Amino acid sequence: MNWLGDSLLTWAALAALLFWFVGAHNRLVRLRAAALQAYAALDAQMVRQLDFVQAALPAPSAGGPGDDHSAETALRAASAQMSTVMGSTRPRPLDPQAMAALGTALGVLLMAWQRMHPDAEPISFEPDGTLSRPAPLQELPASGAAAVPLVWPEPSALAEISRAQFNAAVIQYNHAIGQFPAVLVAWLLRMRRAAPLG
């Protein structure tokens, strides 16, 4: 009868281990899915932001040899680069290298925008994610209408909120896959740490 007791204990331990593994797996998959979903929302806002930047660009002109179009050219190039990097990031948004490239492209785009619109005011956020200087979303003026002062490219407020939500989801995911013993499940399933969008 002793072997029966040992066998039952072994099966109970294996069952507990299996239930724990399934629970840890489901939690990691759920957190990974939340990070991917947050990236999809961020991507949609960045597309809107990029569309706004491209719509704000003046129509290309031949211009004379003395004309200085360097700010406009830089913004066009940064916009094209951002579009390309966003396209290559979509299939692997949790890849740290892809996210680093996206962060660099976004920084270049915002610097080019600021150079083209030196009076534009960047939208800033408090540590808790609330706007420190709320700014209304602005529409591009109709042709012939008076120019509207542009904040740093709209709809930047929504994009920044989405970025904060994505970064929070990534931090939760990274924390979960770094905990012991869930780190063993992450290793078995080849789940890697993600990177926030800086």
Side-chain angles (χ1 to χ4, degrees):
M1 286 305 276
N2 200 15
W3 63 269
L4 183 59
D6 290 345
S7 178
L8 286 175
L9 283 175
T10 303
W11 282 108
L14 288 174
L17 186 62
L18 178 65
F19 284 127
W20 169 82
F21 181 87
V22 169
H25 169 267
N26 289 347
R27 179 172 182 255
L28 293 178
V29 167
R30 187 175 62 251
L31 289 172
R32 186 175 188 279
L36 291 172
Q37 187 175 12
Y39 179 79
L42 171 61
D43 182 70
Q45 292 304 325
M46 288 191 300
V47 166
R48 288 186 62 213
Q49 192 172 30
L50 190 57
D51 288 345
F52 182 89
V53 169
Q54 291 171 341
L57 281 165
S61 60
D67 290 348
D68 181 15
H69 295 293
S70 60
E72 181 184 328
T73 303
L75 187 56
R76 283 188 196 284
S79 176
Q81 177 191 21
M82 182 69 178
S83 181
T84 301
V85 172
M86 284 172 61
S88 65
T89 303
R90 281 186 193 111
R92 49 195 180 101
L94 299 184
D95 178 62
Q97 290 179 334
M99 201 50 57
L102 184 61
T104 300
L106 180 60
V108 170
L109 177 68
L110 294 177
M111 282 192 302
W113 176 267
Q114 200 168 31
R115 184 175 169 204
M116 182 96 174
H117 302 280
D119 296 331
E121 297 178 35
I123 291 181
S124 56
F125 287 82
E126 300 295 339
D128 65 357
T130 58
L131 285 167
S132 58
R133 186 192 57 78
L137 295 183
Q138 300 169 345
E139 299 294 329
L140 285 175
S143 57
V148 177
L150 300 172
V151 294
W152 195 356
E154 291 296 357
S156 55
L158 295 177
E160 284 301 314
I161 290 167
S162 294
R163 179 165 68 163
Q165 290 170 344
F166 169 72
N167 288 348
V170 165
I171 288 168
Q172 276 189 311
Y173 170 72
N174 285 344
H175 180 70
I177 67 171
Q179 289 179 322
F180 185 83
V183 68
L184 300 174
V185 177
W187 177 76
L188 285 171
L189 299 176
R190 297 184 180 198
M191 290 182 162
R192 304 285 183 251
R193 291 179 64 83
L197 179 58

